[in-house]
Amino acid sequence: MGAWGEARPWASDSVERMRVKLRDACRVAFSPDGRNLVEVGRAVPGGYVRMWDAGAGSILYEHLEADGPSFGLAFGPTGKKFATGNIADVVRVRDS
């Protein structure tokens, strides 16, 4: 574990460490193949969903949500989709 708000997980397909600034992350999850990392969390005024390339440490996808932060996060078994659930009881299934 790095400094406060920073995670340094090992990428599954390499020996290089990925540094991800998680800011206000509530949950993080790796895709089943270990190539992507998704984080959900708080952002003013709602929440956000962010997908990272775990090997490169770059953002692939980012979306701000007006109806509140997500606290639930899970990948499907193939890794092609993931689901988020927020405090407004809204569940969204997204392509990864």
Side-chain angles (χ1 to χ4, degrees), residues 42-55:
R42 294 180 284 272
V44 177
Y48 68 88
V49 176
R50 189 176 294 129
M51 180 179 287
W52 298 81
D53 178 313

Side-chain angles (χ1 to χ4, degrees), residues 17-18 27 36 74 83:
R17 233 183 318 188
M18 177 185 68
R27 299 282 185 271
N36 296 325

Side-chain angles (χ1 to χ4, degrees), residues 3-92:
W4 179 258
E6 180 179 297
R8 295 181 184 172
W10 290 94
S12 64
D13 58 350
S14 73
V15 294
E16 295 183 26
R17 233 183 318 188
M18 177 185 68
R19 291 178 53 157
V20 178
K21 292 286 187 183
L22 295 178
R23 292 182 226 160
D24 295 319
C26 296
R27 299 282 185 271
V28 296
F30 277 98
S31 60
D33 64 6
R35 294 182 184 189
N36 296 325
L37 173 83
V38 173
E39 64 170 300
V40 296
R42 294 180 284 272
V44 177
Y48 68 88
V49 176
R50 189 176 294 129
M51 180 179 287
W52 298 81
D53 178 313
S58 59
I59 295 173
L60 299 174
Y61 170 88
E62 187 170 26
H63 180 74
L64 296 176
E65 300 193 336
D67 55 357
S70 292
F71 292 100
L73 171 63
F75 270 93
T78 65
K80 293 182 179 180
K81 295 190 182 285
F82 65 95
T84 61
N86 70 19
I87 61 172
D89 294 330
V90 176
V91 175
R92 291 185 175 96

